[in-house]
Amino acid sequence: MRKTILAAVIAAVAGGAAVPVLADPPFDAKDPKYAPYIAGEKRSGYTFAEPETRAMQDDDFSNPGFLWVEEGKKMWSKVDGKAGKACKDCHGDAEKSMKGVGTVYPRFDPHANALLTLEQKINQCRTERMEAQPLKFDSKPYNAIATFVKHQSFGMPFAVQTDGPVAPYFDMGRRLYYERRGMSDVACKHCHEDYWGMHMRTELLSQGMPNGFPQYRLKWQTLGTAQKRIRGCFEEVRAEPYPVDSLENTVLELYATWRANGLRVESPAVRK
Amino acid sequence: MQTSITRLALAAVLAVALAGLAEAAPRKKAPERGYFDVSRMAPLTDQKGDPANGRKVAATKGLCVSCHVMPIPEQPDHGDVGPDLAGVGSRMQPPELRMRIVDPKVLYADTIMPSFYKSDLNRVKKGLEGKPFLTAQEVEDVVAYLATLK
């Protein structure tokens, strides 16, 4: 339970009645233990999380996200589809072949001639090379294989591209990031650029960095992808979310991930 | 007008300093205010605002306490995105308060504060389209409540 220290300070200064504003979890940019979670001015959601939530993420045994990593690891070498192949048959040892892959998605795919999320790329491999069914969004195997692949880049800095064929997607992403929407009439940037570090009721606004996805969310009681989280932020402001894997949701993921360039892959992170 | 600008700037600075983030990345500066014609902001309804109901709306449906510290101590977890509204009734007159709530973008185009009485909003969730956040009477009630915060 959080205490209302900040509230007491405000009340003392203002000389008014005690009003409850939540206190912040500890963070000191100069403390070397936070170095893996910051890059210049950029701060991972980890630094805004409660100490208990951080502890859960830090320990592979208490981090529920590792159930998905384990499941994905099994899927990696399991044959599926008419071609009689597993991921492993084309890609070998994931620890080598998938290292760094998680840092560059969403990425322009010349074969599909489109911007693809990591999850979309995995489904492309399934349908085109394995001749298997695409995995259903937010299903256990969909989340598991993506988390396993992403985790192979754990600790590596994000480096999504924004130029060349990606430029038009990036521009669209930026436009949508700055576009007001919903009953609350706000854009992503209002919460995650202008007011991070401030409280919206019980929520401490973070910079909205997606470097922990796929991640376990206590509120969801399960693990989910960036696509799911972005739709959640639409719901938060009573806006109509764009469909999963729509161009709009994908370019928003691209723009948000570009903002996190330099921060490290934390998947599977744990957040409130 | 001049005092309320200074107060607003002070409140913003204070909030940032108190959050212990003064040395962090530059954040929103105190907003610059645009000119607006107060006389345009006549009451939205004929019925006089009810401050008691306004207080209730501010704490619940209006979500004001999500962003503002307000003298409503029984409601937990006030936010600090916006300035503390204690004393706002002596900083602003009802027409300005009304304008603030109806459509604060008129005062400050880039504000995070929702427009509570505007119905042509972008991409509103299905089922809520065309409806303003608050009813005209609720806006009047909130204005009446804020005016009591002296």
Side-chain angles (χ1 to χ4, degrees), chain A residues 89-270:
Chain A
D89 294 320
C90 290
H91 298 290
D93 183 358
E95 280 179 31
K96 290 200 195 95
S97 66
M98 293 296 123
K99 199 175 160 81
V101 167
T103 66
V104 294
Y105 280 86
R107 182 187 208 181
F108 184 78
D109 189 87
H111 182 56
N113 194 29
L115 185 77
L116 297 186
T117 64
L118 182 60
E119 293 81 10
Q120 290 165 352
K121 181 70 190 179
I122 292 169
N123 264 341
Q124 185 198 60
C125 275
R126 285 183 59 87
T127 54
E128 296 184 13
R129 299 188 181 171
M130 295 163 71
E131 295 171 47
Q133 288 298 313
L135 298 169
K136 200 168 149 275
F137 174 78
D138 206 31
S139 63
K140 183 90 195 254
Y142 178 96
N143 289 333
I145 189 68
T147 310
F148 173 71
V149 171
K150 191 77 169 270
H151 186 62
Q152 304 312 313
S153 305
F154 186 88
M156 296 176 74
F158 274 88
V160 293
Q161 294 292 308
T162 57
D163 52 2
V166 188
Y169 295 99
F170 184 70
D171 291 345
M172 183 180 174
R174 189 203 313 261
R175 179 172 64 69
L176 289 174
Y177 202 83
Y178 282 81
E179 180 178 292
R180 289 183 186 274
R181 59 177 67 86
M183 199 81 154
S184 300
D185 196 27
V186 285
C188 314
K189 78 106 188 178
H190 286 110
C191 289
H192 296 303
E193 279 186 1
D194 294 350
Y195 288 101
W196 59 264
M198 304 311 242
H199 308 82
M200 232 178 226
R201 185 150 274 167
T202 56
E203 299 283 358
L204 172 61
L205 296 172
S206 79
Q207 297 178 348
M209 297 300 191
N211 58 309
F213 288 95
Q215 78 187 13
Y216 189 89
R217 229 186 135 205
L218 299 167
K219 192 171 158 193
W220 291 337
Q221 290 285 299
T222 189
L223 174 140
T225 57
Q227 288 276 309
K228 182 171 170 179
R229 172 71 248 200
I230 291 169
R231 284 167 53 87
C233 280
F234 274 71
E235 297 282 355
E236 205 98 35
V237 303
R238 291 185 236 172
E240 185 63 23
Y242 288 105
V244 167
D245 292 340
S246 60
L247 179 59
E248 288 87 351
N249 225 41
T250 302
V251 296
L252 273 170
E253 181 177 338
L254 170 73
Y255 191 78
T257 310
W258 167 77
R259 294 184 72 237
N261 266 358
L263 285 175
R264 305 180 199 195
V265 174
E266 266 173 51
S267 184
V270 180

Side-chain angles (χ1 to χ4, degrees), chain B residues 17-49:
Chain B
L18 284 173
L21 287 156
E23 75 285 20
R27 192 184 306 286
K28 270 257 101 70
K29 291 192 293 291
E32 283 163 30
R33 296 190 141 166
Y35 168 81
F36 69 95
D37 181 1
V38 165
S39 65
R40 272 173 44 208
M41 250 358 226
L44 304 174
T45 63
D46 293 335
Q47 199 185 323
K48 212 164 150 268

Side-chain angles (χ1 to χ4, degrees), chain A residues 60-74:
Chain A
D60 291 5
F61 293 100
S62 67
N63 181 341
F66 277 91
L67 297 172
W68 280 263
V69 175
E70 289 308 315
E71 179 83 15
K73 187 177 182 167
K74 286 187 212 137

Side-chain angles (χ1 to χ4, degrees), chain A residues 9-10 19-20 41 179-182 185-186 189-190 194 196 199-202 235 238-242, chain B residues 18 25 27-28 63 65-66 69-70 75 77-81 105 109-112 114 122-123 125-126:
Chain A
V9 175
I10 291 186
V19 273
E41 307 271 84
E179 180 178 292
R180 289 183 186 274
R181 59 177 67 86
D185 196 27
V186 285
K189 78 106 188 178
H190 286 110
D194 294 350
W196 59 264
H199 308 82
M200 232 178 226
R201 185 150 274 167
T202 56
E235 297 282 355
R238 291 185 236 172
E240 185 63 23
Y242 288 105
Chain B
L18 284 173
R27 192 184 306 286
K28 270 257 101 70
L63 303 178
V65 294
S66 298
V69 167
M70 298 180 80
Q75 180 76 36
D77 307 325
H78 297 206
D80 55 6
V81 163
K105 281 103 209 179
D110 197 26
T111 185
I112 189 175
N122 178 38
R123 224 183 151 77
K125 184 146 189 62
K126 285 207 172 78

